[in-house]
Amino acid sequence: MRFASRLAKLAPLALALLLSACSELQREFQGPARLEVAGVKEGACATVKVGSQSATRCEDYTFRFTGLSGKFPVEVRVEWQGVEVQGYQGEVELTPGATARVEVARRTLALRAEAPWAGSAATYEAWVDGEWAFGVAAYPDPAPEGLEGMVLVHRGGASLAVPTAPRAVIRVRDGAGEARVEVASPQDGAVVRVPEPRYAPIHLTPEGVASRVGCVAAFLGDVERARSCTPPFALAVSPPDGEYREVLLVAYADGLPFQEGRVVARSGESRTVPLDRKRVRVELTAPGFTADVQAVGEAWLRGEDQEGVALYGDPPPPGYEGYRLADRAMVVNGVAELSVPTGRMVLFRLVGSRTTEGVVDLVDGDRRVVLP
């Protein structure tokens, strides 16, 4: 009786051990639990950690785990060319002999751009190389000059979401101003300081260029900012800011400033600039031509310098065949003030109670000429 009683007490324990052994045997026959990782970039390596087990695969992203059954925390990290590009974190239900599935998502970084010069309406952009723009909603905009091969992945405010990549370019545009900075190995949460902007150029095309002109230069103030020596002499001037600026174009013939034109434009605009014959102010005088003397001052141009000038019909003085009269003015208080087209070997004359004349080798700027 005592033996039967003990046997009855041990029966439930034996049954439990038997059932456990059967379950283990069943799991052995069912095989390991499988986990399929979907969406992995081709050629990348995925590392999966489930419970205390982990494994890495660089192809056929179906992982097998033995001895696991039930819900487990799972973490997936996907690396490509040394950069973590995708991942997943959550829970998975594993069953021996069955296949569970998780899908990785593209890793992105949160960056913040600082551009103190930019206003509230400024646009912030992030660009990455084309091969790293997978798995994100990219913009179709063509890459601007200097960013060839890159893809626009963010446009909006100063807080940027950027896919992980070896580098990213942050571009800020505010009106006509633009600045950009390249960030190598960007890190999540980084603050990117954007330098002062450069402004889109003013595009200028001179109109009415004389046949003798060999080069055209553009000036902002007294500083030459661009030069072209190839027809049609198109110029691009980079202004220091986005404000309207007066630009002076000077056309040169054999080194002589021959024509000029002015235009007021701002960054990013395209303008056609009519050119006129360049003239300078010349004060013409001579001994004996005092305030009480009536006389006329004259400026005569040789044939090469007459293009684009409204000329008088007077015949040339003796010995100056081919010269034409370009300007004349009365002598007032002993001085004739003339507006003279630039040129070489310019003939000046004072005609009154006596006539005096002389040739100036080069007239290319305001000056005073004293005849004998």
Side-chain angles (χ1 to χ4, degrees):
M1 291 295 291
R2 288 181 181 177
F3 175 76
S5 176
R6 288 179 181 176
L7 185 61
K9 291 180 178 179
L10 291 173
L13 178 60
L15 180 59
L17 291 172
L18 180 61
L19 290 175
S20 177
C22 289
S23 297
E24 290 294 331
L25 186 61
Q26 183 182 23
R27 280 197 289 268
E28 287 294 328
F29 281 109
Q30 287 177 332
R34 294 183 296 273
L35 177 63
E36 177 190 351
V37 179
V40 177
K41 179 172 177 58
E42 183 180 357
C45 293
T47 298
V48 175
K49 184 178 180 181
V50 178
S52 61
Q53 298 187 36
S54 66
T56 299
R57 299 184 66 85
C58 297
E59 58 183 358
D60 182 18
Y61 304 106
T62 299
F63 295 79
R64 293 161 177 80
F65 298 96
T66 59
L68 296 181
S69 179
K71 278 191 175 182
F72 294 89
V74 60
E75 181 182 3
V76 183
R77 298 164 64 94
V78 179
E79 288 193 359
W80 183 58
Q81 298 186 26
V83 177
E84 185 178 343
V85 293
Q86 294 170 301
Y88 174 86
Q89 195 163 10
E91 280 193 340
V92 65
E93 176 115 22
L94 295 179
T95 303
T99 301
R101 185 177 184 273
V102 297
E103 185 168 356
V104 292
R106 187 70 167 91
R107 291 286 196 208
T108 58
L109 306 171
L111 304 179
R112 179 160 186 84
E114 283 190 355
W117 52 269
S120 58
T123 300
Y124 294 77
E125 298 176 351
W127 297 75
V128 298
D129 291 297
E131 61 181 347
W132 296 89
F134 63 91
V136 293
Y139 293 82
D141 302 45
E145 182 180 356
L147 299 183
E148 292 81 359
M150 303 192 84
V151 173
L152 179 61
V153 293
H154 172 91
R155 174 188 285 142
S159 296
L160 307 97
V162 182
T164 52
R167 68 167 183 150
V169 173
I170 308 303
R171 181 184 186 217
V172 182
R173 293 186 295 161
D174 186 10
E178 176 192 321
R180 59 181 71 166
V181 61
E182 180 175 321
V183 183
S185 302
Q187 301 297 312
D188 191 40
V191 176
V192 180
R193 290 171 175 81
V194 183
E196 289 293 319
R198 58 183 177 85
Y199 289 87
I202 302 169
H203 294 280
L204 303 171
T205 303
E207 185 178 59
V209 180
S211 59
R212 289 184 57 205
V213 167
C215 292
V216 178
F219 292 81
L220 281 176
D222 296 327
V223 180
E224 181 177 325
R225 292 299 184 96
R227 179 178 287 252
S228 174
C229 297
T230 305
F233 307 105
L235 298 154
V237 178
S238 296
D241 53 37
E243 301 302 318
Y244 281 96
R245 295 276 177 163
E246 182 180 68
V247 185
L248 168 66
L249 297 193
V250 179
Y252 294 89
D254 301 323
L256 176 75
F258 198 74
Q259 292 175 291
E260 66 180 18
R262 296 177 185 272
V263 67
V264 175
R266 67 178 301 180
S267 174
E269 293 185 338
S270 297
R271 296 292 184 87
T272 298
V273 185
L275 298 183
D276 296 316
R277 191 68 165 81
K278 180 175 174 59
R279 290 176 174 265
V280 296
R281 181 172 174 271
V282 175
E283 293 182 348
L284 183 62
T285 187
F289 285 81
T290 55
D292 57 345
V293 173
Q294 291 188 345
V296 175
E298 300 175 344
W300 295 74
L301 298 179
R302 59 179 186 156
E304 297 93 316
D305 298 327
Q306 294 171 9
E307 184 178 359
V309 179
L311 300 165
Y312 291 83
D314 303 46
Y320 292 97
E321 289 73 15
Y323 274 71
R324 297 286 300 276
L325 180 60
D327 193 35
R328 61 159 48 110
M330 295 294 297
V331 174
V332 178
N333 294 326
V335 176
E337 293 191 357
L338 299 171
S339 175
V340 183
T342 55
R344 289 186 170 86
M345 307 303 293
V346 179
L347 171 64
F348 290 97
R349 305 180 77 225
L350 281 170
V351 181
S353 57
R354 73 180 183 93
T355 298
T356 182
E357 62 188 28
V359 173
V360 176
D361 293 345
L362 175 64
V363 176
D364 61 355
D366 295 347
R367 63 182 299 167
R368 183 179 180 88
V369 175
V370 179
L371 297 178

